[in-house]
């Protein structure tokens, strides 16, 4: 039994070592990838639930890995956080978005609004507002998607100050993943966002579950009474889209319409199908 115990111990140690080495390798690759500009921005469209017009896009980061192909954020965001480079990635995405917006304008494609995800780290960055001011962001065309947990931590005051100044720069605020985690109606009142995005965990079951349907209906009603627009995420079928429209949801985003697409594919699709 003793020998087995030792073996098991060795087994765990070896596993742990392998994990640490692999984590370290990914971390090194990630930093090199940033240097080599392997991080790219993909776009997923959002549509008006009633008129079906293209109202905007969400920018989503992807890692164009030299060996593993396109990697979604779940493969690297955690490591990026550990390395303290999420703010840098957010910044790279925002710069790309501003460039891509100009390219769309030159091509005659009107994309009313681009939403970018902003990590909690970045929102707490003392230099954020200065950086944003230097970027010359066109007013009322960019919005920041923030997760609610941002407003519950101990550095809430820095985030709050930043938020006021971000709004003053003409950047809209959206609450992301609403309805999960530490949801509070209070954060809606405090933050006065332009929009809230109803989490796909709530959206996906609405066809079959009366509970989620009632919850989504209430969220939409509350938002509406506060003058806040609603976006449903994870709209996977046209049945979902129809029901959400019936429930009064303003904007729809999901695989029923399109997956996130690289710049060229998005632009082609948008010019052919989503604009008139
Ligand atoms: P999120 O902000 O909730 O983004 C929506 C996610 O849902 C995206 O995953 C999108 O591809 C996926 N999605 C869209 N429609 C559907 C659908 O109909 N069904 C299903 N099942 N999924 C759908 P993605 O691109 O893998 O991003 C995952 C998360 O990574 C994002 O969740 C966001 O939290 C984070 N993220 C993405 N880009 C950035 C970024 O530039 N900066 C930061 N800080 N975080 C980012
Ligand atoms: Ca988001
Ligand atoms: Ca979300």
């Amino acid at each position: 039994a003793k020998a087995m115990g030792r073996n098991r111990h060795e087994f765990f140690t070896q596993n742990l070592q392998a994990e640490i080495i692999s984590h370290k390798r990914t971390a090194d690759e990630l930093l090199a990838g940033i240097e080599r500009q392997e991080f790219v921005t993909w776009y997923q469209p959002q549509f008006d639930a009633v008129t079906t017009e293209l109202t905007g896009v969400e920018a989503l980061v992807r890692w164009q890995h030299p060996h593993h192909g396109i990697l979604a954020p779940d493969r690297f965001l955690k490591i990026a956080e550990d390395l303290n480079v999420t703010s840098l990635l957010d910044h790279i995405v925002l710069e790309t978005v501003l460039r891509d917006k100009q390219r769309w304008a030159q091509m005659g494609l009107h994309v009313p609004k681009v939403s970018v995800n902003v990590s909690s780290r970045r929102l707490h960055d003392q230099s954020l507002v200065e950086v944003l001011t230097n970027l010359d962001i066109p007013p009322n065309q960019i919005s920041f998607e923030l997760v609610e947990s941002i407003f519950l931590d101990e550095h809430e005051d820095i985030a709050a100050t930043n938020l006021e100044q971000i709004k003053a720069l003409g950047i809209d605020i959206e609450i992301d993943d609403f309805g999960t985690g530490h949801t509070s109606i209070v954060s809606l009142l405090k933050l006065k966002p332009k929009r809230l995005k109803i989490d796909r965990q709530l959206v996906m079951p609405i066809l079959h579950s009366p509970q989620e349907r009632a919850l989504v209906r209430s969220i939409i009603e509350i938002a509406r009474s506060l003058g806040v627009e609603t976006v449903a995420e994870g709209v996977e079928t046209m049945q979902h889209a129809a029901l959400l429209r019936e429930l009064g949801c303003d904007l729809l985003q999901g695989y029923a319409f399109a997956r996130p697409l690289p710049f060229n594919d998005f632009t082609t699709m948008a010019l052919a199908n989503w604009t008139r």
Side-chain angles (χ1 to χ4, degrees):
K2 218 172 179 182
M4 230 176 87
R6 191 167 59 230
N7 280 344
R8 195 174 299 156
H9 176 74
E10 271 167 23
F11 175 77
F12 279 127
T13 312
Q14 273 170 15
N15 249 13
L16 190 62
Q17 269 170 356
E19 222 172 86
I20 289 167
I21 289 167
S22 134
H23 188 283
K24 168 96 175 55
R25 190 182 301 133
T26 315
D28 291 343
E29 278 182 33
L30 193 146
L31 294 175
I34 291 177
E35 203 116 298
R36 290 195 295 256
Q37 304 189 352
E38 289 166 6
F39 288 86
V40 295
T41 303
W42 285 26
Y43 296 99
Q44 187 177 32
Q46 298 171 338
F47 298 92
D48 186 298
V50 177
T51 67
T52 71
E53 265 174 300
L54 177 73
T55 54
V57 290
E58 177 174 4
L60 295 157
V61 70
R62 294 288 182 269
W63 183 1
Q64 204 152 23
H65 192 281
H67 308 301
H68 306 306
I70 294 290
L71 301 181
D74 64 326
R75 297 283 298 276
F76 59 84
L77 269 191
K78 184 76 199 59
I79 293 171
E81 246 165 59
D82 295 345
L83 290 167
N84 205 0
V85 294
T86 35
S87 291
L88 180 56
L89 287 179
D90 288 355
H91 185 72
I92 291 169
V93 168
L94 181 58
E95 280 193 317
T96 312
V97 161
L98 295 174
R99 266 201 314 276
D100 287 351
K101 266 186 74 63
Q102 287 182 348
R103 290 164 77 193
W104 285 325
Q106 282 158 9
M107 297 162 117
L109 175 62
H110 180 54
V111 179
K113 176 91 73 191
V114 186
S115 303
V116 300
N117 293 282
V118 174
S119 63
S120 165
R121 246 340 136 66
R122 185 156 206 213
L123 192 70
H124 289 88
D125 188 339
Q126 299 266 17
S127 64
L128 175 63
V129 172
E130 196 190 326
V131 170
L132 294 177
T133 307
N134 289 331
L135 282 180
D136 248 330
I137 295 174
N140 305 112
Q141 294 172 40
I142 300 290
S143 66
F144 282 1
E145 297 191 5
L146 313 170
V147 288
E148 288 175 275
S149 57
I150 283 170
F151 315 104
L152 298 167
D153 74 11
E154 70 271 36
H155 302 298
E156 211 178 307
D157 47 331
I158 303 175
T161 312
N162 272 348
L163 272 171
E164 282 317 308
Q165 300 191 30
I166 288 166
K167 283 184 183 171
L169 289 172
I171 298 169
D172 287 336
I173 301 300
E174 302 184 28
I175 299 187
D176 207 351
D177 303 339
F178 192 83
T180 60
H182 310 278
T183 295
S184 72
I185 304 289
V186 175
S187 67
L188 262 184
L189 292 172
K190 257 209 296 208
L191 193 64
K192 300 193 186 67
K194 169 98 176 168
R195 296 189 190 142
L196 71 83
K197 301 191 74 173
I198 308 169
D199 195 79
R200 66 166 182 270
Q201 277 184 58
L202 285 180
V203 170
M204 286 163 96
I206 56 169
L207 293 179
H208 306 291
S209 163
Q211 275 108 330
E212 269 92 348
R213 196 182 313 139
L215 204 51
V216 167
R217 189 197 307 268
S218 309
I219 291 172
I220 293 168
E221 267 169 26
I222 291 168
R224 175 155 293 179
S225 72
L226 295 170
V228 175
E229 277 184 342
T230 45
V231 187
E233 320 183 308
V235 182
E236 292 200 347
T237 68
M238 285 305 166
Q239 287 97 303
H240 283 89
L243 179 52
L244 285 158
R245 178 187 156 165
E246 222 174 277
L247 296 177
C249 187
D250 298 302
L251 306 171
L252 308 175
Q253 175 183 351
Y255 296 167
F257 307 98
R259 289 179 178 257
L261 298 166
F263 178 86
N264 284 334
D265 294 350
F266 171 80
T267 305
T268 307
M269 286 288 276
L271 286 170
N273 304 309
W274 299 328
T275 50
R276 55 198 74 161

